[in-house]
Amino acid sequence: MKKDYSSHLETTPDAEGNFGEYGGAFLPPQLIGPMQEIHTAYLKISKSADFINELRSIRTHYQGRPTPTYHAKRLSELCGGASIYLKREDLNHTGAHKLNHCMGEGLLAKYMGKKKLIAETGAGQHGVALATAAAYFGLECEIHMGEVDMAKEHPNVIRMKLLGAKVVPVSFGLKTLKEAVDSAFQAYLVDPETSIYCIGSVVGPHPFPMMVRDFQRVVGIEAREQFQEMTGNLPDLITACIGGGSNAMGLFSAFLNDPCEIWGVEPMGRGPNPGDHAATMTYGMPGIIHGFKSYLLQDEKGEPSPVYSIASGLDYPGVGPEHSYLKDEGRIQYTSATDEECLDAFYKLSRLEGIIPALESAHAVAFAMEKAKEMGTGSILLNLSGRGDKDLDFVADTYGFGD
Ligand SMILES: *Cc1c(COP(=O)(O)O)cnc(C)c1O
């Protein structure tokens, strides 16, 4: 490997939130102050022994960490090549890696003396994880969600309400994620004193890409240690699915300075036509979205393009700025899996291992299966970011049982 990444996590991003030419904070004037406040508080609070100890205790006693690393023997045998290992983030409380950063954001809010967490949600996964954190810390929670998404993801709306969150329907524009972000920012601006905005991935203006990565690092730290304990070696290849890129950054951050290949897997949806996929790294160009610079699927005017994936947690036209930086550096490679490949992996992992994955995570499984065969030997570690309970009705009704 050409470059030394041993100090990458300490030196990147820089003080302004730049990952090379990506990241930063492109904000309306009213948001500059509140973002600065979050940044300053985070730098101070996240280093305090009280904060570190409390987060550690929450992870052990509430979230169920460490999550195991598991050798998927039957799936590996089917592929007939490299051994496939899964980091079981699906076993987190609430069923996905998102609670890793939501508990961190909730704890930061508590230390900052905030009373209310505000966020948007697309499919509802981030909303549910944040509503869980709010319930745990005794904070108010307000989740903005497009009316179209609310109808589509009704069970998550019910979960958020049961957890005590206020779900604000967003009825302008396309009534989906992009409008929900605008609505959540507006609500936050009304009262940045007592509320705090909590983002759902390694995206958004500085300091969010850094903060969310830091909270997700636990995934990679655990997995690296567990893998070495199990095999005496490091994996030859690691992989994860990429929506905004938080579960991927969580795993990848621990292996940047190791001699292993790193692959991010984006959704190719129904195919390469515009509007049929969300393969940002394959078809995007640098641009600005939601306050940061990164690769972006965009039209001629720089407006974010419509995107699609069978996995609603992956259909985002942007990607975390650190991914863009590490792609240009050549340290991480990006590829894609189609809806069809994702479904095949979804059924195979369920049948062969008794693990029903989230459709998002199944994209990484699909790539690992293909790569295992191609490699013929060695090992692959993949981040199984979530469980498939949320997808059961949709898959069974639309595609059946995979016979
Ligand atoms: C939200 C979600 C993702 C995508 O988010 P990233 O920030 O890219 O990790 C992936 N898997 C699951 C299970 C999710 O809920």
Side-chain angles (χ1 to χ4, degrees):
M1 200 168 47
K2 288 161 239 140
K3 195 177 151 182
D4 178 9
Y5 284 92
S6 55
S7 60
H8 170 88
L9 296 168
E10 286 71 47
T11 56
T12 316
D14 68 13
E16 275 75 50
N18 300 301
F19 299 84
E21 66 164 298
Y22 302 106
F26 299 83
L27 296 167
Q30 325 86 283
L31 267 176
I32 293 173
M35 285 298 149
Q36 197 65 50
E37 188 210 352
I38 296 176
H39 185 205
T40 308
Y42 173 70
L43 289 182
K44 184 153 174 266
I45 291 168
S46 68
K47 290 190 182 74
S48 76
D50 284 352
F51 182 91
I52 293 168
N53 289 332
E54 190 166 349
L55 190 57
R56 197 171 283 159
S57 166
I58 288 167
R59 285 171 172 169
T60 308
H61 300 290
Y62 183 68
Q63 261 185 264
R65 304 206 69 91
T67 58
T69 291
Y70 167 70
H71 181 192
K73 289 201 193 73
R74 296 191 68 217
L75 185 73
S76 305
E77 267 165 34
L78 173 83
C79 301
S83 297
I84 300 172
Y85 290 76
L86 313 174
K87 176 59 173 166
R88 297 288 311 274
E89 287 305 291
D90 59 315
L91 294 178
N92 257 296
H93 177 46
T94 72
H97 70 287
K98 283 196 176 73
L99 207 62
N100 295 330
H101 61 252
C102 285
M103 294 308 286
E105 288 173 325
L107 188 61
L108 179 67
K110 181 183 123 172
Y111 275 70
M112 288 175 75
K114 302 290 184 186
K115 304 262 178 298
K116 189 200 251 187
L117 308 180
I118 297 180
E120 75 290 334
T121 194
Q125 296 299 105
H126 176 53
V128 169
L130 197 66
T132 302
Y136 178 93
F137 292 110
L139 298 167
E140 287 173 55
C141 185
E142 186 178 300
I143 303 293
H144 296 247
M145 189 170 187
E147 280 181 344
V148 169
D149 290 331
M150 284 181 72
K152 229 157 93 183
E153 309 288 349
H154 190 60
N156 276 341
V157 175
I158 295 174
R159 282 187 189 102
M160 286 185 271
K161 288 183 177 172
L162 282 172
L163 291 162
K166 180 178 163 202
V167 182
V168 179
V170 179
S171 56
F172 57 91
L174 295 175
K175 306 175 192 175
T176 58
L177 180 62
K178 191 179 167 296
E179 291 78 24
V181 175
D182 296 338
S183 173
F185 266 113
Q186 276 164 22
Y188 171 53
L189 274 176
V190 172
D191 184 16
E193 281 291 306
T194 59
S195 66
I196 184 168
Y197 177 71
C198 296
I199 216 151
S201 187
V202 285
V203 297
H206 187 53
F208 288 113
M210 172 181 75
M211 243 168 67
V212 172
R213 174 196 71 190
D214 291 352
F215 290 139
Q216 289 293 346
R217 276 179 64 185
V218 66
V219 175
I221 292 168
E222 284 176 11
R224 193 174 182 279
E225 205 176 290
Q226 290 166 330
F227 192 91
Q228 281 188 303
E229 215 162 80
M230 290 169 82
T231 68
N233 286 308
L234 287 168
D236 296 303
L237 186 152
I238 62 171
T239 186
C241 66
I242 311 260
S246 67
N247 88 87
M249 236 22 260
L251 181 69
F252 298 172
S253 54
F255 295 87
L256 289 174
N257 208 40
D258 291 327
C260 59
E261 282 185 35
I262 307 182
W263 288 81
V265 186
E266 296 189 313
M268 192 51 84
R270 295 182 284 247
N273 288 331
D276 279 350
H277 63 81
T280 309
M281 292 303 199
T282 310
Y283 295 111
M285 297 282 286
I288 291 168
I289 183 175
H290 295 146
F292 69 104
K293 184 176 174 194
S294 200
Y295 277 87
L296 174 65
L297 290 167
Q298 53 190 314
D299 63 18
E300 312 79 52
K301 291 187 212 128
E303 283 296 308
S305 303
V307 283
Y308 160 82
S309 165
I310 191 172
S312 42
L314 301 182
D315 61 359
Y316 185 62
V319 62
E322 192 162 17
H323 285 285
S324 294
Y325 171 70
L326 291 167
K327 171 189 162 66
D328 285 3
E329 290 249 301
R331 181 61 192 102
I332 303 182
Q333 293 166 276
Y334 293 84
T335 183
S336 58
T338 62
D339 284 2
E340 206 179 322
E341 291 165 331
C342 157
L343 277 168
D344 178 56
F346 176 92
Y347 290 125
K348 294 247 160 66
L349 190 67
S350 302
R351 287 283 167 91
L352 292 170
E353 299 289 351
I355 299 170
I356 303 175
L359 286 171
E360 289 81 3
S361 323
H363 284 74
V365 178
F367 171 71
M369 287 168 61
E370 180 194 311
K371 204 69 185 169
K373 201 174 295 171
E374 183 190 313
M375 286 163 66
T377 174
S379 57
I380 296 175
L381 170 63
L382 81 88
N383 195 3
L384 199 76
S385 55
R387 66 178 183 226
D389 299 42
K390 67 187 178 56
D391 303 312
L392 298 182
D393 289 344
F394 169 74
V395 171
D397 292 352
T398 318
Y399 301 98
F401 293 90
D403 305 311

